[in-house]
Amino acid sequence: MDRDGREIVLGIETSCDDTCAAVVAGGTEVLSSVVSSQDPLHARFGGIVPEHASRKHLELIVPVIDQALDTAAVSSASLACIAVTTGPGLVGSLLVGLSTAKALSLAWGIPLVAVNHVEAHAYSLCLRHGNVPEPHLCLTVSGGHTALIMVESPLRTRTVGTTLDDSAGEALDKIAAHLGLGYPGGPALEEWAAKGDPHSVALPRPVIDSHGFDFSFSGLKTAALLEAKRLSSGGGAAWKADLAASLQAAVVDVLVHKTFTAAQHFEARAVGACGGVASNLYLRESLARQAKAEGVQLLLASHEFCTDNAAMVAGLGWHLFREQSFASWQVDARPSWRPGEE
Ligand code: KG4
Ligand code: ZN
């Protein structure tokens, strides 16, 4: 407990390539959030190598947890519980966080709660906005996921749309890698896009008016690759900025259109956006413009908590703790755990 009697939760997140630990009081007050990025390790391969990711997590997990506790000036004796991401994600990566969390829970004699990574992303809105209107429709858009989630409450969520193939972040990352723009691809592509013309290259808006609230980005990726081949024959590099801007606009058009159509359909009281791709300024501005035009309240996760972090895990874990939804010792990693699924 802290001085105000709020339970303190240690969050652990290792679902992909970031080793994260955080200390959060009362579900929303972030006392520390440590993220150790593995970007330099994976950059030379142009993408995440699962085996390298889990080995690096093993090296980093204990120092990262120590740093989170030190920064928060909290000892293990003050912790109410440990919240750990158990899925979805890379199984080897998930197991490092989960095994560490189990060991600490046993050693410190405090309960463990199992958190869904995508639901935790959706919860990141609460870290910035506190009490959010419910139900709201949350666009969770990252490298691993692109989903529309109706949030009735932090622990009651329903997936109403997902991607049929690639996630939005994956499409951006792959094209950025192909164009040699830098790693990680999403932020690099955004920088290039700022120098280009979004109307210069004609790209499709896949399934924008079909397939309900589901997305599809693999066709767009192929179209962008074909355009890259055509444009590169002209020489120079200016076309790369134009293609980056056009691709970013195509992805954002689809995301914004589906999000607001779904919000209206499901009578959401607000629209939210979170996940790594939601730190993209063009997406944030486009969502803000549409929200203003439709008179809808917009909730955006803060930049710090868009990409993977453990504060969102500890925050959502606090709600599980309050409900006494503790995980048993048998709890396992769930690489394909869908948000809202028991
Ligand atoms: O949430 P996150 O850290 O990890 C997953 O759960 O996947 O998201 C990482 C994804 C990557 O695809 C990355 O390229 C993308 O988010 N991303 C961006 C930006 N920053 C990160 N995409 C576009 N613009 C950005 N500024
Ligand atoms: Zn994520």
Side-chain angles (χ1 to χ4, degrees):
M1 295 257 197
D2 68 0
R3 263 191 243 112
D4 301 321
R6 295 170 306 179
E7 296 91 356
I8 302 176
V9 177
L10 170 68
I12 297 176
E13 155 64 46
T14 61
S15 65
C16 192
D17 63 333
D18 292 314
T19 316
C20 318
V23 178
V24 174
T28 52
E29 200 195 333
V30 182
L31 304 180
S32 67
S33 174
V34 180
V35 177
S36 181
S37 163
Q38 299 182 4
D39 285 348
L41 173 68
H42 301 285
R44 64 196 147 112
F45 303 104
I48 296 160
V49 182
E51 178 67 21
H52 286 309
S54 46
R55 283 168 187 259
K56 199 69 186 169
H57 283 311
L58 271 177
E59 265 175 49
L60 294 171
I61 188 70
V62 172
V64 163
I65 291 171
D66 279 345
Q67 195 187 334
L69 292 172
D70 284 354
T71 308
V74 158
S75 73
S76 56
S78 317
L79 296 175
C81 87
I82 299 175
V84 62
T85 303
T86 54
L90 302 170
V91 68
S93 291
L94 289 165
L95 283 171
V96 177
L98 177 56
S99 312
T100 310
K102 279 185 183 177
L104 293 177
S105 154
L106 190 63
W108 294 341
I110 52 176
L112 186 70
V113 294
V115 172
N116 179 291
H117 179 79
V118 181
E119 289 178 6
H121 268 302
Y123 186 80
S124 66
L125 302 180
C126 299
L127 295 179
R128 180 175 186 200
H129 298 277
N131 285 333
V132 295
E134 289 161 349
H136 63 264
L137 194 274
C138 185
L139 168 69
T140 306
V141 63
S142 68
H145 327 279
T146 298
L148 288 171
I149 296 171
M150 275 300 285
V151 181
E152 312 282 343
S153 71
L155 296 177
R156 287 207 0 255
T157 65
R158 188 159 53 99
T159 304
V160 297
T162 186
T163 181
L164 302 169
D165 39 57
D166 291 353
S167 72
E170 203 177 337
L172 297 174
D173 288 343
K174 289 203 171 137
I175 299 298
H178 181 80
L179 299 181
L181 302 186
Y183 184 89
L189 192 125
E190 179 174 22
E191 267 181 47
W192 278 76
K195 295 174 272 177
D197 172 6
H199 306 291
S200 56
V201 185
L203 290 172
R205 270 62 177 159
V207 305
I208 193 162
D209 286 315
S210 64
H211 293 74
F213 302 113
D214 287 337
F215 300 92
S216 166
F217 291 106
S218 72
L220 175 59
K221 197 179 65 187
T222 309
L225 287 173
L226 289 172
E227 285 297 332
K229 198 170 169 196
R230 185 180 66 80
L231 293 164
S232 62
S233 60
W239 63 271
K240 288 190 182 181
D242 284 340
L243 183 57
S246 302
L247 176 65
Q248 180 178 262
V251 169
V252 166
D253 276 358
V254 179
L255 293 175
V256 172
H257 180 81
K258 292 251 176 187
T259 302
F260 280 88
T261 316
Q264 203 174 37
H265 181 88
F266 293 105
E267 298 180 355
R269 293 186 53 221
V271 162
C274 59
V277 180
S279 56
N280 182 284
L281 207 59
Y282 187 86
L283 173 61
R284 294 172 87 89
E285 287 172 358
S286 303
L287 287 166
R289 244 190 328 273
Q290 192 64 25
K292 196 170 172 204
E294 296 194 18
V296 173
Q297 186 180 352
L298 179 66
L299 314 158
L300 294 174
S302 63
H303 281 282
E304 182 184 6
F305 298 130
C306 274
T307 43
D308 286 349
N309 66 87
M312 64 187 191
V313 176
L316 185 56
W318 179 81
H319 290 268
L320 287 163
F321 173 79
R322 300 280 295 190
E323 272 203 351
Q324 303 205 350
S325 297
F326 303 131
S328 77
W329 293 117
Q330 280 76 37
V331 66
D332 206 350
R334 298 173 68 183
S336 308
W337 186 10
R338 281 168 67 91
E341 206 175 78
E342 274 300 303

mmCIF file of all heavy atoms in Angstrom, residues 252-297:
data_model
loop_
_atom_site.group_PDB
_atom_site.id
_atom_site.type_symbol
_atom_site.label_atom_id
_atom_site.label_comp_id
_atom_site.label_asym_id
_atom_site.label_seq_id
_atom_site.Cartn_x
_atom_site.Cartn_y
_atom_site.Cartn_z
ATOM 1 N N VAL A 252 -3.957 4.933 -42.630
ATOM 2 C CA VAL A 252 -4.705 5.779 -41.693
ATOM 3 C C VAL A 252 -6.151 5.970 -42.157
ATOM 4 O O VAL A 252 -7.084 5.927 -41.345
ATOM 5 C CB VAL A 252 -3.968 7.135 -41.489
ATOM 6 C CG1 VAL A 252 -4.860 8.153 -40.806
ATOM 7 C CG2 VAL A 252 -2.680 6.906 -40.688
ATOM 8 N N ASP A 253 -6.370 6.142 -43.456
ATOM 9 C CA ASP A 253 -7.745 6.277 -43.977
ATOM 10 C C ASP A 253 -8.600 5.103 -43.542
ATOM 11 O O ASP A 253 -9.729 5.266 -43.068
ATOM 12 C CB ASP A 253 -7.744 6.314 -45.512
ATOM 13 C CG ASP A 253 -7.470 7.708 -46.050
ATOM 14 O OD1 ASP A 253 -7.322 8.634 -45.227
ATOM 15 O OD2 ASP A 253 -7.383 7.857 -47.292
ATOM 16 N N VAL A 254 -8.063 3.889 -43.709
ATOM 17 C CA VAL A 254 -8.828 2.684 -43.373
ATOM 18 C C VAL A 254 -9.071 2.628 -41.857
ATOM 19 O O VAL A 254 -10.191 2.361 -41.406
ATOM 20 C CB VAL A 254 -8.103 1.403 -43.851
ATOM 21 C CG1 VAL A 254 -8.895 0.176 -43.460
ATOM 22 C CG2 VAL A 254 -7.871 1.429 -45.353
ATOM 23 N N LEU A 255 -8.028 2.879 -41.091
ATOM 24 C CA LEU A 255 -8.164 2.799 -39.620
ATOM 25 C C LEU A 255 -9.221 3.789 -39.119
ATOM 26 O O LEU A 255 -10.087 3.439 -38.307
ATOM 27 C CB LEU A 255 -6.815 3.101 -38.937
ATOM 28 C CG LEU A 255 -5.685 2.078 -39.143
ATOM 29 C CD1 LEU A 255 -4.386 2.572 -38.509
ATOM 30 C CD2 LEU A 255 -6.069 0.711 -38.558
ATOM 31 N N VAL A 256 -9.154 5.022 -39.611
ATOM 32 C CA VAL A 256 -10.074 6.057 -39.124
ATOM 33 C C VAL A 256 -11.510 5.728 -39.550
ATOM 34 O O VAL A 256 -12.443 5.786 -38.735
ATOM 35 C CB VAL A 256 -9.641 7.459 -39.641
ATOM 36 C CG1 VAL A 256 -10.684 8.510 -39.313
ATOM 37 C CG2 VAL A 256 -8.280 7.843 -39.039
ATOM 38 N N HIS A 257 -11.670 5.360 -40.819
ATOM 39 C CA HIS A 257 -13.023 5.084 -41.321
ATOM 40 C C HIS A 257 -13.683 3.936 -40.541
ATOM 41 O O HIS A 257 -14.809 4.063 -40.055
ATOM 42 C CB HIS A 257 -12.954 4.740 -42.815
ATOM 43 C CG HIS A 257 -14.289 4.455 -43.416
ATOM 44 N ND1 HIS A 257 -15.159 5.445 -43.818
ATOM 45 C CD2 HIS A 257 -14.921 3.276 -43.663
ATOM 46 C CE1 HIS A 257 -16.265 4.897 -44.284
ATOM 47 N NE2 HIS A 257 -16.150 3.574 -44.210
ATOM 48 N N LYS A 258 -12.964 2.829 -40.385
ATOM 49 C CA LYS A 258 -13.553 1.666 -39.695
ATOM 50 C C LYS A 258 -13.820 1.986 -38.221
ATOM 51 O O LYS A 258 -14.820 1.553 -37.659
ATOM 52 C CB LYS A 258 -12.614 0.459 -39.798
ATOM 53 C CG LYS A 258 -12.482 -0.107 -41.200
ATOM 54 C CD LYS A 258 -13.158 -1.463 -41.342
ATOM 55 C CE LYS A 258 -13.077 -1.949 -42.786
ATOM 56 N NZ LYS A 258 -13.837 -3.150 -43.047
ATOM 57 N N THR A 259 -12.911 2.712 -37.609
ATOM 58 C CA THR A 259 -13.065 3.010 -36.178
ATOM 59 C C THR A 259 -14.337 3.819 -35.931
ATOM 60 O O THR A 259 -15.138 3.484 -35.043
ATOM 61 C CB THR A 259 -11.833 3.789 -35.662
ATOM 62 O OG1 THR A 259 -10.671 2.997 -35.898
ATOM 63 C CG2 THR A 259 -11.941 4.094 -34.187
ATOM 64 N N PHE A 260 -14.541 4.852 -36.721
ATOM 65 C CA PHE A 260 -15.707 5.706 -36.454
ATOM 66 C C PHE A 260 -17.013 5.043 -36.905
ATOM 67 O O PHE A 260 -18.067 5.258 -36.293
ATOM 68 C CB PHE A 260 -15.504 7.094 -37.078
ATOM 69 C CG PHE A 260 -14.619 7.952 -36.212
ATOM 70 C CD1 PHE A 260 -13.245 7.927 -36.351
ATOM 71 C CD2 PHE A 260 -15.174 8.737 -35.206
ATOM 72 C CE1 PHE A 260 -12.420 8.680 -35.518
ATOM 73 C CE2 PHE A 260 -14.357 9.498 -34.363
ATOM 74 C CZ PHE A 260 -12.985 9.470 -34.528
ATOM 75 N N THR A 261 -16.958 4.227 -37.956
ATOM 76 C CA THR A 261 -18.167 3.496 -38.371
ATOM 77 C C THR A 261 -18.561 2.512 -37.268
ATOM 78 O O THR A 261 -19.739 2.385 -36.914
ATOM 79 C CB THR A 261 -17.917 2.724 -39.694
ATOM 80 O OG1 THR A 261 -17.223 3.563 -40.588
ATOM 81 C CG2 THR A 261 -19.210 2.286 -40.338
ATOM 82 N N ALA A 262 -17.561 1.825 -36.710
ATOM 83 C CA ALA A 262 -17.851 0.859 -35.640
ATOM 84 C C ALA A 262 -18.367 1.588 -34.389
ATOM 85 O O ALA A 262 -19.301 1.111 -33.730
ATOM 86 C CB ALA A 262 -16.594 0.062 -35.307
ATOM 87 N N ALA A 263 -17.776 2.723 -34.083
ATOM 88 C CA ALA A 263 -18.199 3.472 -32.882
ATOM 89 C C ALA A 263 -19.672 3.837 -32.986
ATOM 90 O O ALA A 263 -20.432 3.727 -32.012
ATOM 91 C CB ALA A 263 -17.343 4.717 -32.718
ATOM 92 N N GLN A 264 -20.083 4.268 -34.187
ATOM 93 C CA GLN A 264 -21.479 4.633 -34.393
ATOM 94 C C GLN A 264 -22.375 3.395 -34.287
ATOM 95 O O GLN A 264 -23.388 3.400 -33.592
ATOM 96 C CB GLN A 264 -21.605 5.259 -35.769
ATOM 97 C CG GLN A 264 -22.819 6.157 -35.903
ATOM 98 C CD GLN A 264 -22.788 6.853 -37.252
ATOM 99 O OE1 GLN A 264 -22.370 6.260 -38.249
ATOM 100 N NE2 GLN A 264 -23.225 8.096 -37.273
ATOM 101 N N HIS A 265 -21.936 2.322 -34.949
ATOM 102 C CA HIS A 265 -22.726 1.083 -34.980
ATOM 103 C C HIS A 265 -22.962 0.534 -33.569
ATOM 104 O O HIS A 265 -24.053 0.093 -33.230
ATOM 105 C CB HIS A 265 -21.998 0.041 -35.838
ATOM 106 C CG HIS A 265 -22.711 -1.258 -35.954
ATOM 107 N ND1 HIS A 265 -23.656 -1.499 -36.924
ATOM 108 C CD2 HIS A 265 -22.640 -2.389 -35.204
ATOM 109 C CE1 HIS A 265 -24.126 -2.723 -36.779
ATOM 110 N NE2 HIS A 265 -23.532 -3.288 -35.740
ATOM 111 N N PHE A 266 -21.928 0.557 -32.747
ATOM 112 C CA PHE A 266 -22.038 -0.038 -31.405
ATOM 113 C C PHE A 266 -22.397 0.994 -30.333
ATOM 114 O O PHE A 266 -22.357 0.701 -29.137
ATOM 115 C CB PHE A 266 -20.726 -0.762 -31.033
ATOM 116 C CG PHE A 266 -20.469 -1.973 -31.883
ATOM 117 C CD1 PHE A 266 -19.510 -1.940 -32.883
ATOM 118 C CD2 PHE A 266 -21.201 -3.135 -31.705
ATOM 119 C CE1 PHE A 266 -19.278 -3.059 -33.690
ATOM 120 C CE2 PHE A 266 -20.972 -4.254 -32.504
ATOM 121 C CZ PHE A 266 -20.012 -4.215 -33.504
ATOM 122 N N GLU A 267 -22.750 2.206 -30.793
ATOM 123 C CA GLU A 267 -23.186 3.280 -29.885
ATOM 124 C C GLU A 267 -22.177 3.526 -28.761
ATOM 125 O O GLU A 267 -22.531 3.573 -27.575
ATOM 126 C CB GLU A 267 -24.578 2.962 -29.325
ATOM 127 C CG GLU A 267 -25.607 2.882 -30.441
ATOM 128 C CD GLU A 267 -27.006 2.556 -29.938
ATOM 129 O OE1 GLU A 267 -27.177 2.306 -28.734
ATOM 130 O OE2 GLU A 267 -27.915 2.545 -30.776
ATOM 131 N N ALA A 268 -20.919 3.653 -29.171
ATOM 132 C CA ALA A 268 -19.856 3.928 -28.194
ATOM 133 C C ALA A 268 -19.986 5.370 -27.691
ATOM 134 O O ALA A 268 -20.375 6.269 -28.437
ATOM 135 C CB ALA A 268 -18.502 3.731 -28.855
ATOM 136 N N ARG A 269 -19.620 5.591 -26.443
ATOM 137 C CA ARG A 269 -19.699 6.940 -25.865
ATOM 138 C C ARG A 269 -18.420 7.742 -26.113
ATOM 139 O O ARG A 269 -18.373 8.940 -25.829
ATOM 140 C CB ARG A 269 -20.009 6.845 -24.370
ATOM 141 C CG ARG A 269 -21.427 6.286 -24.131
ATOM 142 C CD ARG A 269 -21.802 6.317 -22.672
ATOM 143 N NE ARG A 269 -21.610 7.640 -22.106
ATOM 144 C CZ ARG A 269 -21.088 7.867 -20.896
ATOM 145 N NH1 ARG A 269 -20.713 6.870 -20.146
ATOM 146 N NH2 ARG A 269 -20.952 9.089 -20.449
ATOM 147 N N ALA A 270 -17.403 7.077 -26.624
ATOM 148 C CA ALA A 270 -16.155 7.764 -26.977
ATOM 149 C C ALA A 270 -15.343 6.832 -27.860
ATOM 150 O O ALA A 270 -15.640 5.638 -27.951
ATOM 151 C CB ALA A 270 -15.364 8.122 -25.719
ATOM 152 N N VAL A 271 -14.339 7.406 -28.501
ATOM 153 C CA VAL A 271 -13.433 6.619 -29.332
ATOM 154 C C VAL A 271 -12.030 6.753 -28.756
ATOM 155 O O VAL A 271 -11.623 7.845 -28.348
ATOM 156 C CB VAL A 271 -13.462 7.144 -30.795
ATOM 157 C CG1 VAL A 271 -12.250 6.676 -31.577
ATOM 158 C CG2 VAL A 271 -14.733 6.685 -31.497
ATOM 159 N N GLY A 272 -11.293 5.638 -28.713
ATOM 160 C CA GLY A 272 -9.919 5.688 -28.205
ATOM 161 C C GLY A 272 -8.949 5.071 -29.195
ATOM 162 O O GLY A 272 -9.353 4.329 -30.094
ATOM 163 N N ALA A 273 -7.680 5.402 -29.041
ATOM 164 C CA ALA A 273 -6.633 4.758 -29.864
ATOM 165 C C ALA A 273 -5.399 4.531 -29.016
ATOM 166 O O ALA A 273 -5.010 5.385 -28.214
ATOM 167 C CB ALA A 273 -6.298 5.608 -31.079
ATOM 168 N N CYS A 274 -4.797 3.347 -29.201
ATOM 169 C CA CYS A 274 -3.615 2.986 -28.409
ATOM 170 C C CYS A 274 -2.784 1.977 -29.200
ATOM 171 O O CYS A 274 -3.192 1.558 -30.283
ATOM 172 C CB CYS A 274 -4.066 2.372 -27.085
ATOM 173 S SG CYS A 274 -5.072 0.910 -27.350
ATOM 174 N N GLY A 275 -1.641 1.592 -28.661
ATOM 175 C CA GLY A 275 -0.738 0.677 -29.361
ATOM 176 C C GLY A 275 0.320 1.477 -30.107
ATOM 177 O O GLY A 275 0.152 2.683 -30.348
ATOM 178 N N GLY A 276 1.411 0.794 -30.484
ATOM 179 C CA GLY A 276 2.562 1.472 -31.085
ATOM 180 C C GLY A 276 2.223 2.410 -32.234
ATOM 181 O O GLY A 276 2.712 3.541 -32.292
ATOM 182 N N VAL A 277 1.371 1.958 -33.159
ATOM 183 C CA VAL A 277 1.059 2.785 -34.337
ATOM 184 C C VAL A 277 0.273 4.045 -33.935
ATOM 185 O O VAL A 277 0.314 5.061 -34.635
ATOM 186 C CB VAL A 277 0.299 1.950 -35.398
ATOM 187 C CG1 VAL A 277 -0.032 2.775 -36.628
ATOM 188 C CG2 VAL A 277 1.113 0.719 -35.807
ATOM 189 N N ALA A 278 -0.393 3.991 -32.779
ATOM 190 C CA ALA A 278 -1.168 5.161 -32.325
ATOM 191 C C ALA A 278 -0.258 6.304 -31.877
ATOM 192 O O ALA A 278 -0.738 7.399 -31.572
ATOM 193 C CB ALA A 278 -2.124 4.762 -31.199
ATOM 194 N N SER A 279 1.057 6.075 -31.864
ATOM 195 C CA SER A 279 1.933 7.222 -31.583
ATOM 196 C C SER A 279 2.207 8.004 -32.864
ATOM 197 O O SER A 279 2.824 9.066 -32.821
ATOM 198 C CB SER A 279 3.238 6.774 -30.914
ATOM 199 O OG SER A 279 3.869 5.821 -31.708
ATOM 200 N N ASN A 280 1.720 7.515 -33.994
ATOM 201 C CA ASN A 280 1.896 8.208 -35.278
ATOM 202 C C ASN A 280 1.058 9.496 -35.302
ATOM 203 O O ASN A 280 -0.157 9.477 -35.114
ATOM 204 C CB ASN A 280 1.451 7.253 -36.398
ATOM 205 C CG ASN A 280 1.626 7.839 -37.769
ATOM 206 O OD1 ASN A 280 0.845 8.684 -38.184
ATOM 207 N ND2 ASN A 280 2.646 7.399 -38.477
ATOM 208 N N LEU A 281 1.757 10.592 -35.559
ATOM 209 C CA LEU A 281 1.110 11.906 -35.497
ATOM 210 C C LEU A 281 0.019 12.082 -36.550
ATOM 211 O O LEU A 281 -1.029 12.666 -36.289
ATOM 212 C CB LEU A 281 2.193 12.985 -35.679
ATOM 213 C CG LEU A 281 1.876 14.325 -35.039
ATOM 214 C CD1 LEU A 281 1.668 14.177 -33.550
ATOM 215 C CD2 LEU A 281 3.020 15.308 -35.324
ATOM 216 N N TYR A 282 0.266 11.552 -37.745
ATOM 217 C CA TYR A 282 -0.707 11.673 -38.836
ATOM 218 C C TYR A 282 -2.009 10.954 -38.444
ATOM 219 O O TYR A 282 -3.106 11.453 -38.681
ATOM 220 C CB TYR A 282 -0.100 11.085 -40.108
ATOM 221 C CG TYR A 282 -0.915 11.277 -41.357
ATOM 222 C CD1 TYR A 282 -0.806 12.436 -42.126
ATOM 223 C CD2 TYR A 282 -1.794 10.287 -41.791
ATOM 224 C CE1 TYR A 282 -1.562 12.603 -43.276
ATOM 225 C CE2 TYR A 282 -2.546 10.440 -42.945
ATOM 226 C CZ TYR A 282 -2.421 11.595 -43.686
ATOM 227 O OH TYR A 282 -3.171 11.750 -44.825
ATOM 228 N N LEU A 283 -1.867 9.775 -37.813
ATOM 229 C CA LEU A 283 -3.052 9.040 -37.349
ATOM 230 C C LEU A 283 -3.755 9.822 -36.240
ATOM 231 O O LEU A 283 -4.986 9.966 -36.259
ATOM 232 C CB LEU A 283 -2.658 7.642 -36.847
ATOM 233 C CG LEU A 283 -3.773 6.832 -36.179
ATOM 234 C CD1 LEU A 283 -4.947 6.573 -37.139
ATOM 235 C CD2 LEU A 283 -3.254 5.493 -35.650
ATOM 236 N N ARG A 284 -3.000 10.353 -35.291
ATOM 237 C CA ARG A 284 -3.599 11.084 -34.167
ATOM 238 C C ARG A 284 -4.367 12.297 -34.680
ATOM 239 O O ARG A 284 -5.492 12.566 -34.246
ATOM 240 C CB ARG A 284 -2.510 11.504 -33.161
ATOM 241 C CG ARG A 284 -1.857 10.338 -32.464
ATOM 242 C CD ARG A 284 -0.660 10.752 -31.641
ATOM 243 N NE ARG A 284 -0.977 11.162 -30.280
ATOM 244 C CZ ARG A 284 -1.049 10.367 -29.229
ATOM 245 N NH1 ARG A 284 -0.839 9.080 -29.384
ATOM 246 N NH2 ARG A 284 -1.330 10.830 -28.031
ATOM 247 N N GLU A 285 -3.761 13.020 -35.652
ATOM 248 C CA GLU A 285 -4.432 14.218 -36.182
ATOM 249 C C GLU A 285 -5.667 13.842 -36.981
ATOM 250 O O GLU A 285 -6.697 14.517 -36.906
ATOM 251 C CB GLU A 285 -3.450 15.021 -37.041
ATOM 252 C CG GLU A 285 -2.418 15.742 -36.184
ATOM 253 C CD GLU A 285 -1.291 16.396 -36.991
ATOM 254 O OE1 GLU A 285 -1.282 16.257 -38.244
ATOM 255 O OE2 GLU A 285 -0.424 17.009 -36.351
ATOM 256 N N SER A 286 -5.586 12.762 -37.745
ATOM 257 C CA SER A 286 -6.740 12.340 -38.547
ATOM 258 C C SER A 286 -7.894 11.900 -37.643
ATOM 259 O O SER A 286 -9.061 12.214 -37.903
ATOM 260 C CB SER A 286 -6.352 11.183 -39.476
ATOM 261 O OG SER A 286 -5.281 11.564 -40.287
ATOM 262 N N LEU A 287 -7.573 11.183 -36.565
ATOM 263 C CA LEU A 287 -8.618 10.770 -35.611
ATOM 264 C C LEU A 287 -9.235 12.010 -34.952
ATOM 265 O O LEU A 287 -10.455 12.090 -34.777
ATOM 266 C CB LEU A 287 -8.016 9.858 -34.527
ATOM 267 C CG LEU A 287 -7.647 8.426 -34.951
ATOM 268 C CD1 LEU A 287 -6.768 7.763 -33.893
ATOM 269 C CD2 LEU A 287 -8.902 7.574 -35.192
ATOM 270 N N ALA A 288 -8.388 12.977 -34.622
ATOM 271 C CA ALA A 288 -8.881 14.192 -33.957
ATOM 272 C C ALA A 288 -9.810 14.969 -34.883
ATOM 273 O O ALA A 288 -10.857 15.477 -34.454
ATOM 274 C CB ALA A 288 -7.699 15.059 -33.524
ATOM 275 N N ARG A 289 -9.448 15.042 -36.161
ATOM 276 C CA ARG A 289 -10.287 15.763 -37.141
ATOM 277 C C ARG A 289 -11.647 15.093 -37.269
ATOM 278 O O ARG A 289 -12.693 15.744 -37.239
ATOM 279 C CB ARG A 289 -9.594 15.761 -38.508
ATOM 280 C CG ARG A 289 -9.206 17.149 -38.980
ATOM 281 C CD ARG A 289 -8.748 17.192 -40.433
ATOM 282 N NE ARG A 289 -8.067 16.017 -40.919
ATOM 283 C CZ ARG A 289 -6.765 15.809 -40.808
ATOM 284 N NH1 ARG A 289 -5.998 16.691 -40.210
ATOM 285 N NH2 ARG A 289 -6.214 14.704 -41.286
ATOM 286 N N GLN A 290 -11.634 13.758 -37.362
ATOM 287 C CA GLN A 290 -12.894 13.024 -37.533
ATOM 288 C C GLN A 290 -13.757 13.131 -36.275
ATOM 289 O O GLN A 290 -14.979 13.282 -36.355
ATOM 290 C CB GLN A 290 -12.585 11.547 -37.851
ATOM 291 C CG GLN A 290 -13.774 10.744 -38.330
ATOM 292 C CD GLN A 290 -14.326 11.228 -39.666
ATOM 293 O OE1 GLN A 290 -13.598 11.821 -40.452
ATOM 294 N NE2 GLN A 290 -15.614 11.012 -39.888
ATOM 295 N N ALA A 291 -13.112 13.051 -35.123
ATOM 296 C CA ALA A 291 -13.854 13.150 -33.853
ATOM 297 C C ALA A 291 -14.536 14.515 -33.750
ATOM 298 O O ALA A 291 -15.691 14.616 -33.330
ATOM 299 C CB ALA A 291 -12.899 12.939 -32.674
ATOM 300 N N LYS A 292 -13.809 15.536 -34.157
ATOM 301 C CA LYS A 292 -14.371 16.891 -34.105
ATOM 302 C C LYS A 292 -15.570 17.003 -35.065
ATOM 303 O O LYS A 292 -16.634 17.516 -34.690
ATOM 304 C CB LYS A 292 -13.283 17.897 -34.493
ATOM 305 C CG LYS A 292 -13.632 19.309 -34.112
ATOM 306 C CD LYS A 292 -12.462 20.234 -34.277
ATOM 307 C CE LYS A 292 -12.943 21.660 -34.066
ATOM 308 N NZ LYS A 292 -12.117 22.641 -34.715
ATOM 309 N N ALA A 293 -15.384 16.458 -36.278
ATOM 310 C CA ALA A 293 -16.457 16.535 -37.278
ATOM 311 C C ALA A 293 -17.709 15.803 -36.799
ATOM 312 O O ALA A 293 -18.832 16.223 -37.074
ATOM 313 C CB ALA A 293 -15.967 15.942 -38.594
ATOM 314 N N GLU A 294 -17.520 14.712 -36.053
ATOM 315 C CA GLU A 294 -18.671 13.905 -35.614
ATOM 316 C C GLU A 294 -19.120 14.245 -34.198
ATOM 317 O O GLU A 294 -20.073 13.645 -33.690
ATOM 318 C CB GLU A 294 -18.311 12.408 -35.694
ATOM 319 C CG GLU A 294 -18.048 11.943 -37.117
ATOM 320 C CD GLU A 294 -18.023 10.427 -37.256
ATOM 321 O OE1 GLU A 294 -18.528 9.727 -36.361
ATOM 322 O OE2 GLU A 294 -17.491 9.957 -38.282
ATOM 323 N N GLY A 295 -18.412 15.152 -33.548
ATOM 324 C CA GLY A 295 -18.776 15.528 -32.170
ATOM 325 C C GLY A 295 -18.610 14.377 -31.194
ATOM 326 O O GLY A 295 -19.400 14.191 -30.270
ATOM 327 N N VAL A 296 -17.564 13.578 -31.394
ATOM 328 C CA VAL A 296 -17.313 12.408 -30.542
ATOM 329 C C VAL A 296 -16.094 12.686 -29.669
ATOM 330 O O VAL A 296 -15.116 13.278 -30.135
ATOM 331 C CB VAL A 296 -17.029 11.159 -31.430
ATOM 332 C CG1 VAL A 296 -16.598 9.966 -30.600
ATOM 333 C CG2 VAL A 296 -18.253 10.811 -32.258
ATOM 334 N N GLN A 297 -16.129 12.249 -28.419
ATOM 335 C CA GLN A 297 -14.968 12.428 -27.543
ATOM 336 C C GLN A 297 -13.854 11.467 -27.950
ATOM 337 O O GLN A 297 -14.102 10.282 -28.186
ATOM 338 C CB GLN A 297 -15.355 12.176 -26.080
ATOM 339 C CG GLN A 297 -14.215 12.489 -25.126
ATOM 340 C CD GLN A 297 -14.591 12.229 -23.669
ATOM 341 O OE1 GLN A 297 -15.744 11.950 -23.341
ATOM 342 N NE2 GLN A 297 -13.602 12.305 -22.801
#
